[in-house]
Amino acid sequence: MAEQNPLPVRRKKATRVQSVSHSPSEKEQPGGNEKPRWGESDFRCHRVQESLLSSASGFSNYRGILNWCVVMLVLSNARLFLENLIKYGILVDPIQVVSLFVQDPYSWPALCLVLVSNVFIVCALHLERRLVLGQFSEQVGQLLYMFLLFTILCLPVLVVFTVVSITPVGAVFALGVYTILFLKLYSYMEVNHWCRERRLAQTQALGRSQSVPLIPKANGEVSRKEVSYPGNLTHRDIYYFMLAPTLCYELNFPRSPRIRKRFLLRRLVEMLFIMQLLVGLIQQWMVPTIQNSMKPFRDMDYSRIIERLLKLAVPNHLIWLIFFYWFFHSSMNFVAEIMRFGDREFYRDWWNSETVTYFWQNWNIPVHRWCLRHFYKPMLRRGVSRWAAQAAVFLASAFFHEYLVSVPLKMFRLWAFMGMMSQIPLAWFVGRFLRGNYGNAAVWISLIIGQPIAVLMYVHDYYILNHGKLL
């Protein structure tokens, strides 16, 4: 009996193992006590794959690295700011800002220039009214417009060089207003000229109606009647265009349904806070760095000049970024909200620029639209090549950059002009040899390094011209 007992036990175990291995009912039974069988794939832990930092991996979630960059940027700039406070103390003086705009409290030449600009606006409106009535021919109207636009550019130059009490900052403000006025009135002239041409063509084609019909809404209501030429030739229409955050004229601008008070208040708070921040950063950070850069220029110490340039690049670029947000987002949205101006595309994603051309097309949309509508496309229609038209756009932009810098400083050094014209070969080089992240890095480097070079050159020449020696 003792020798027969093991045999049934072995059969029972063998039978149980067989049933566990091949019985599908027991294998599929959930919560079973049997151990799962190891397959060949369970022993593998490797497969063909790329590292996350390789471009072929397709991985794009670098949020942690971006946060790290922000933390490092804040810490490094906090150290520089603390070093600046220890070395120079508190230099922020709001009262000093007033003296940058007004040298003589009884003389406000920059403000007077801005008020005189209304004369040119009214002249343009009455000139258009004479043209639509046929009192002037198109050729005479073009000549009068050219004289008007030429006067707009020359009058502030004459005032800056003859009036001693005008300050450089006040002159920059006045010239900026007149530059915007020049671009707007040119667009106003062009669009009304196109309307007269279309009106004449429709009159010749059996006198088609010029009125714009009422547009039915989805709920059956009727929207307001749009303005048609020459019904747009009113003081209200031209002054709305002068104050609207755009450089391109239209007879009927897109309008937002209402004024959002909370949105308006947020933009106002941003404007006031960022303006104070900009003034403080310039006084506390930029001015001492620029003053300390004059001695290396005097000694022609190139290594120290490069060191000063790199040190100036950080606050200059930070102030430029803050100014971009203050002007193109806070201020222009504030004005647009008050005027219920519907088109709020004042900028695009220029920070993702992989070419220099893409940056200039997307960082300042109002200027880009004006150049495209009134300068670039008309040249293409006249048979000019694309390359020549792009070069002409950069040339015009270089002129206005130099106009806004050299005239207020009362000196002509052409640093801003040459800086803008250097964008043409830089755009060709980046577009031809650099792609993707390398192109984006090249655009950022040109922005970070190019601006402080121009700043140092102008400050150096300004001190030599006005003080006879460097600090």
Side-chain angles (χ1 to χ4, degrees):
M1 294 297 293
E3 294 178 356
Q4 295 177 356
N5 286 337
L7 294 177
V9 174
R10 292 191 185 98
R11 291 192 190 99
K12 188 176 181 180
K13 288 182 178 180
T15 304
R16 183 171 180 80
V17 170
Q18 183 179 4
S19 65
V20 170
S21 303
H22 299 286
S23 175
S25 61
E26 291 184 12
K27 187 192 305 184
E28 297 174 359
Q29 183 178 358
N33 297 325
E34 292 77 10
K35 296 181 180 179
R37 183 183 178 185
W38 290 86
E40 183 180 356
S41 61
D42 296 323
F43 294 97
R44 296 179 180 177
C45 62
H46 298 286
R47 60 187 176 89
V48 178
Q49 56 184 337
E50 297 288 342
S51 299
L52 290 184
L53 297 181
S54 301
S55 58
S57 67
F59 183 78
S60 59
N61 186 8
Y62 298 103
R63 182 180 58 183
I65 297 179
L66 178 61
N67 292 334
W68 170 79
C69 292
V70 172
V71 171
M72 290 298 295
L73 181 64
V74 171
L75 291 178
S76 60
N77 285 285
R79 185 199 66 81
L80 292 175
F81 189 73
L82 182 60
E83 179 186 10
N84 180 277
L85 287 177
I86 295 173
K87 186 175 181 180
Y88 302 107
I90 299 178
L91 302 177
V92 179
D93 185 9
I95 304 300
Q96 187 182 9
V97 179
V98 180
S99 64
L100 297 177
F101 289 90
V102 181
Q103 185 174 356
D104 183 2
Y106 299 100
S107 177
W108 299 62
L111 180 60
C112 292
L113 267 177
V114 174
L115 295 177
V116 170
S117 64
N118 290 277
V119 176
F120 300 101
I121 298 174
V122 175
C123 287
L125 174 62
H126 285 277
L127 179 57
E128 286 294 336
R129 288 178 174 178
R130 298 296 183 274
L131 286 170
V132 76
L133 293 175
Q135 298 179 0
F136 294 142
S137 64
E138 290 295 331
Q139 292 76 12
V140 173
Q142 291 289 328
L143 290 176
L144 292 176
Y145 255 119
M146 292 303 105
F147 176 77
L148 185 68
L149 295 175
F150 180 78
T151 307
I152 290 174
L153 291 181
C154 293
L155 177 62
V157 177
L158 181 64
V159 172
V160 168
F161 279 91
T162 55
V163 179
V164 181
S165 60
I166 192 168
T167 62
V169 177
V172 169
F173 175 75
L175 265 70
V177 172
Y178 272 76
T179 301
I180 295 174
L181 179 64
F182 173 87
L183 299 177
K184 287 197 174 194
L185 287 185
Y186 187 91
S187 179
Y188 187 75
M189 172 192 70
E190 287 271 276
V191 173
N192 283 296
H193 176 69
W194 296 338
C195 290
R196 286 193 298 274
E197 287 184 338
R198 186 179 65 176
R199 189 186 186 193
L200 179 61
Q202 290 179 344
T203 302
Q204 293 176 350
L206 301 179
R208 297 176 183 176
S209 175
Q210 283 293 302
S211 61
V212 178
L214 297 178
I215 303 175
K217 293 184 177 179
N219 57 3
E221 296 179 359
V222 178
S223 65
R224 66 180 183 88
K225 185 176 180 180
E226 294 186 346
V227 176
S228 59
Y229 187 82
N232 63 307
L233 302 180
T234 63
H235 289 87
R236 179 172 181 171
D237 179 86
I238 192 171
Y239 272 100
Y240 180 88
F241 172 54
M242 290 297 124
L243 298 175
T246 181
L247 298 176
C248 295
Y249 177 69
E250 292 182 9
L251 273 67
N252 298 280
F253 290 104
R255 304 291 293 273
S256 55
R258 62 183 180 87
I259 297 177
R260 297 168 293 178
K261 296 181 180 179
R262 291 184 179 180
F263 179 87
L264 195 67
L265 181 61
R266 286 197 299 268
R267 300 289 83 80
L268 178 61
V269 172
E270 286 179 356
M271 289 170 58
L272 297 177
F273 173 76
I274 294 177
M275 175 59 69
Q276 297 298 323
L277 179 62
L278 286 172
V279 171
L281 288 175
I282 292 173
Q283 290 181 326
Q284 186 71 41
W285 204 349
M286 280 280 289
V287 173
T289 305
I290 293 175
Q291 291 177 345
N292 293 335
S293 302
M294 295 298 99
K295 188 177 184 300
F297 271 97
R298 182 189 61 191
D299 300 335
M300 295 306 293
D301 187 350
Y302 294 105
S303 60
R304 291 285 295 170
I305 290 175
I306 296 175
E307 185 269 338
R308 291 287 97 183
L309 173 65
L310 295 177
K311 188 174 182 178
L312 181 63
V314 175
N316 178 84
H317 187 65
L318 181 62
I319 290 171
W320 180 79
L321 290 176
I322 296 174
F323 174 80
F324 167 81
Y325 185 88
W326 174 81
F327 185 77
F328 286 97
H329 185 75
S330 300
S331 300
M332 297 190 77
N333 269 293
F334 179 81
V335 175
E337 192 69 23
I338 290 179
M339 306 187 67
R340 293 175 51 206
F341 187 80
D343 188 0
R344 307 296 175 87
E345 191 184 36
F346 306 123
Y347 55 90
R348 299 193 188 110
D349 61 332
W350 57 265
W351 47 86
N352 293 325
S353 302
E354 298 179 1
T355 62
V356 176
T357 305
Y358 186 88
F359 167 78
W360 288 109
Q361 290 174 348
N362 293 275
W363 94 279
N364 190 339
I365 295 301
V367 171
H368 171 67
R369 284 177 176 167
W370 188 94
C371 293
L372 195 67
R373 185 193 198 191
H374 299 291
F375 200 79
Y376 182 75
K377 288 184 177 180
M379 293 186 71
L380 294 182
R381 286 194 290 266
R382 292 185 177 93
V384 180
S385 64
R386 291 182 177 273
W387 186 90
Q390 290 179 357
V393 171
F394 274 106
L395 182 64
S397 179
F399 165 77
F400 281 107
H401 276 77
E402 190 66 37
Y403 175 79
L404 292 173
V405 177
S406 290
V407 175
L409 296 179
K410 300 180 182 180
M411 63 180 189
F412 296 95
R413 295 297 185 269
L414 299 180
W415 300 121
F417 182 87
M418 290 187 292
M420 280 301 303
M421 294 307 296
S422 66
Q423 298 294 304
I424 298 178
L426 179 63
W428 174 84
F429 176 82
V430 173
R432 184 176 181 86
F433 297 104
L434 300 177
R435 292 291 187 275
N437 293 331
Y438 296 102
N440 183 253
V443 174
W444 278 114
I445 291 173
S446 67
L447 293 174
I448 296 173
I449 301 298
Q451 292 178 0
I453 292 177
V455 170
L456 285 179
M457 299 305 294
Y458 276 110
V459 171
H460 170 268
D461 294 346
Y462 183 78
Y463 272 104
I464 290 291
L465 182 65
N466 292 275
H467 300 281
K469 61 180 181 178
L470 297 177
L471 296 177

